[in-house]
Amino acid sequence: HARKMMEQLAEMEKISKQNGDANQKFKISIPRGSYIANGFTAFVSELQINHGIDITINETNALKTISNVTDRGYNMGIIRYQKSDEDYFKTCLKNNKLEHETIWAFEYVLVMSIKHPLAYKPVITVEDLQDYVKITHADIDAPHTKTTGKTIASGKAPESKTIYVYERGSQFDLLADVPTTYMWVSPIPDSYLEKNRLVQRACKMENNLYKDVLIYRQDYQLGEYDKLFQKKIYESKVEVAAAKYN
């Protein structure tokens, strides 16, 4: 009981200091998803520029995000996982005393250059991808899946035709300028596709249902910045979900 009281006092003191600080402070940990980045940009655009701004955004995998929120003082995070791994992550969130709410359940789509040989093929299959180079993020695998040989959005392309990246900027450069590359991604806003000369296409693949889930500590009180961030993320999701792709 004494330890819990000390934790609550520390949290109250922290909130008090934040309220008395002119800086707009916010720390968020997210997956590498363009609709989320789009929502984050909309969130930042509404902050008061006449005040100080102290914002941290960390694009990383689900387990690192959980650690950021529980141990590194992040306001909240968004984790992404395959639906087949949901029981594992729900147990992980419960053990770490984290609240959670689903933002979006979706299927990964293919994104590629408008010059890619498959860009306008009526129907794309996983077998069609075997002659092309897959781009994937290097740190998306959860440790518990490695022993089973499972990988996120692995498809069936040969491992010898894979480029591993750590951030979204280089992935867009590669996709736009190397027309033999492709990537499995969450649905992308039209503005990103147009700017980078890309198309996104549906492709049937096994185990292709994913979830993006918002998390924060059970003892954390959401502030105005947290609520504004949530609002902008949901608005971005609705905009992207309404788009049509083949």
Side-chain angles (χ1 to χ4, degrees), residues 60-75:
T60 188
N61 60 48
L63 295 177
K64 181 66 179 297
T65 289
I66 290 172
S67 178
N68 284 341
V69 174
T70 56
D71 303 324
R72 296 183 176 89
Y74 280 65
N75 297 55

Side-chain angles (χ1 to χ4, degrees), residues 38-119:
N38 190 53
F40 176 78
T41 301
F43 158 74
V44 173
S45 71
E46 292 208 5
L47 300 180
Q48 299 296 317
I49 61 172
N50 58 325
H51 294 161
I53 293 179
D54 186 356
I55 295 176
T56 299
I57 179 170
N58 182 212
E59 291 187 325
T60 188
N61 60 48
L63 295 177
K64 181 66 179 297
T65 289
I66 290 172
S67 178
N68 284 341
V69 174
T70 56
D71 303 324
R72 296 183 176 89
Y74 280 65
N75 297 55
M76 53 176 54
I78 298 174
I79 62 172
R80 173 171 296 172
Y81 55 78
Q82 286 176 295
K83 184 68 168 62
S84 57
D85 288 331
E86 186 160 43
D87 289 343
Y88 170 86
F89 279 102
K90 281 190 173 181
T91 299
C92 189
L93 296 177
K94 181 179 179 181
N95 291 342
N96 283 281
K97 299 181 179 179
L98 294 170
E99 296 287 348
H100 64 279
E101 57 183 79
T102 298
I103 298 174
W104 197 8
F106 57 89
E107 290 187 345
Y108 263 19
V109 296
L110 292 171
V111 64
M112 59 188 67
S113 166
I114 59 174
K115 298 179 181 179
H116 195 288
L118 299 177

Side-chain angles (χ1 to χ4, degrees), residues 196-242:
N196 293 284
R197 307 183 308 282
L198 304 174
V199 295
Q200 62 182 349
R201 299 290 310 280
C203 178
K204 289 297 180 183
M205 181 180 68
E206 293 181 6
N207 199 23
N208 191 28
L209 183 60
Y210 289 79
K211 274 193 172 184
D212 282 350
V213 176
L214 183 75
I215 64 170
Y216 53 90
R217 298 188 315 277
Q218 290 178 352
D219 61 355
Y220 179 72
Q221 268 196 314
L222 298 182
E224 60 175 306
Y225 299 144
D226 305 301
K227 294 174 182 177
L228 177 60
F229 174 78
Q230 285 179 282
K231 179 174 181 287
K232 294 303 177 182
I233 291 298
Y234 279 105
E235 287 177 353
S236 182
K237 180 208 75 170
V238 170
E239 175 189 343
V240 175

Side-chain angles (χ1 to χ4, degrees), residues 7-19:
E7 289 173 355
Q8 290 174 339
L9 285 170
E11 186 66 25
M12 290 171 64
E13 183 179 356
K14 181 171 147 188
I15 293 171
S16 176
K17 286 181 179 178
Q18 288 175 346
N19 290 340

